[in-house]
């Protein structure tokens, strides 16, 4: 399949077949289909970026407003202190799209993290939750290695195999306006 490498991930392309209601039906675009459409990978990327940023714009919400059922478990694992968990609902965010389908790609949209990082006055850890979303937390007070363990555990126990996005912890560096693999977590 045609794809574009970003960090240790691959952006693939889909052809939307039905876009009604909250469902999103899509089929992977193969090299054969790309060629039949008369497109290069560069043209396909440009079209996909334009379509996805306008039709499925990024949505960042507090995790308690998106996935309240997992807030307590994740927050208690990350913070290790039940008294701190109640404060975590204001520090954990989910990035996806309006349909909450294939929304993890939003982490590569231009300018998606800037406003949140400025509001929180911190760099941001980006945790790959699934192909549908990523979880965002401010860096202050958290250990990248612990987050790496959590990502791996969640992937093993709670994410369907075909929806696992990855096991790296990413970081948005607000002073550079860039998303990078957090190498501290890999040590």
């Amino acid at each position: 399949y045609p794809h574009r490498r970003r960090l240790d991930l691959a952006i693939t392309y889909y052809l939307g077949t039905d876009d009604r209601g909250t469902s999103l039906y899509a089929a992977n675009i193969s090299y054969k289909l790309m060629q039949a459409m008369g497109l290069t990978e560069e043209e396909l990327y440009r079209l996909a970026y334009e379509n996805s940023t306008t039709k499925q714009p990024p949505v960042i919400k507090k995790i308690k407003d998106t996935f309240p059922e997992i807030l307590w478990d994740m927050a208690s694992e990350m913070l290790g202190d039940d008294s701190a968990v109640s404060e975590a609902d204001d520090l954990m965010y989910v990035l996806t799209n309006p349909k909450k389908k294939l929304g993890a790609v939003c982490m590569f949209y231009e300018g998606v993290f800037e406003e949140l990082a400025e509001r929180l006055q911190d760099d941001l850890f980006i945790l790959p939750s699934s192909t549908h979303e990523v979880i965002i937390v401010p860096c202050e007070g958290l250990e990248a290695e612990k987050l790496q363990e959590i990502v791996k555990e969640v992937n093993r126990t709670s994410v369907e195999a075909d929806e696992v996005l990855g096991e790296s912890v990413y970081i948005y560096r607000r002073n550079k306006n860039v998303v990078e693999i957090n190498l501290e977590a890999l040590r």
Side-chain angles (χ1 to χ4, degrees):
Y1 293 98
H3 61 280
R4 179 157 296 198
R5 301 291 296 173
R6 296 288 299 267
L7 304 170
D8 62 344
L9 301 172
I11 298 172
T12 58
Y13 308 104
Y14 293 87
L15 181 61
T17 57
D18 191 357
D19 194 17
R20 291 177 277 169
T22 58
S23 297
L24 179 64
Y25 299 96
N28 281 62
I29 295 178
S30 65
Y31 279 110
K32 190 174 183 178
L33 180 56
M34 180 181 78
Q35 291 168 346
M37 295 166 59
L39 298 172
T40 65
E41 188 278 332
E42 180 64 36
E43 293 166 325
L44 186 58
Y45 175 81
R46 185 181 46 76
L47 285 170
Y49 186 85
E50 289 172 10
N51 283 332
S52 60
T53 56
T54 57
K55 293 182 179 183
Q56 293 298 320
V59 174
I60 297 177
K61 290 186 175 181
K62 289 183 179 179
I63 197 168
K64 70 178 179 181
D65 298 332
T66 309
F67 299 112
E69 67 281 1
I70 66 168
L71 171 63
W72 189 266
D73 291 340
M74 282 198 71
S76 62
E77 272 193 64
M78 286 170 46
L79 302 173
D81 177 5
D82 287 347
S83 63
V85 173
S86 60
E87 297 173 26
D89 62 354
D90 288 326
L91 299 176
M92 295 178 69
Y93 296 83
V94 173
L95 169 64
T96 187
N97 58 34
K99 296 201 184 278
K100 299 178 187 170
K101 302 289 184 201
L102 303 174
V105 73
C106 294
M107 73 183 272
F108 296 115
Y109 290 3
E110 289 292 321
V112 75
F113 296 112
E114 288 176 280
E115 183 182 327
L116 181 60
E118 283 307 310
R119 185 162 31 102
L120 296 174
Q121 289 294 295
D122 202 352
D123 290 343
L124 305 171
F125 281 126
I126 303 160
L127 311 177
S129 176
S130 77
T131 56
H132 303 299
E133 71 279 319
V134 296
I135 295 174
I136 308 164
V137 293
C139 290
E140 186 177 344
L142 295 176
E143 296 175 22
E145 295 84 6
K146 178 71 173 168
L147 296 176
Q148 184 79 50
E149 292 171 23
I150 294 168
V151 168
K152 287 180 179 181
E153 178 65 21
V154 169
N155 281 345
R156 276 193 304 273
T157 62
S158 304
V159 181
E160 296 292 326
D162 63 341
E163 294 181 352
V164 170
L165 181 60
E167 294 197 337
S168 295
V169 172
Y170 305 95
I171 187 166
Y172 171 75
R173 305 249 185 230
R174 68 186 180 116
N175 62 338
K176 295 194 270 183
N177 189 26
V178 66
V179 174
E180 304 172 334
I181 295 176
N182 189 333
L183 298 177
E184 293 171 27
L186 299 176
R187 292 184 185 137

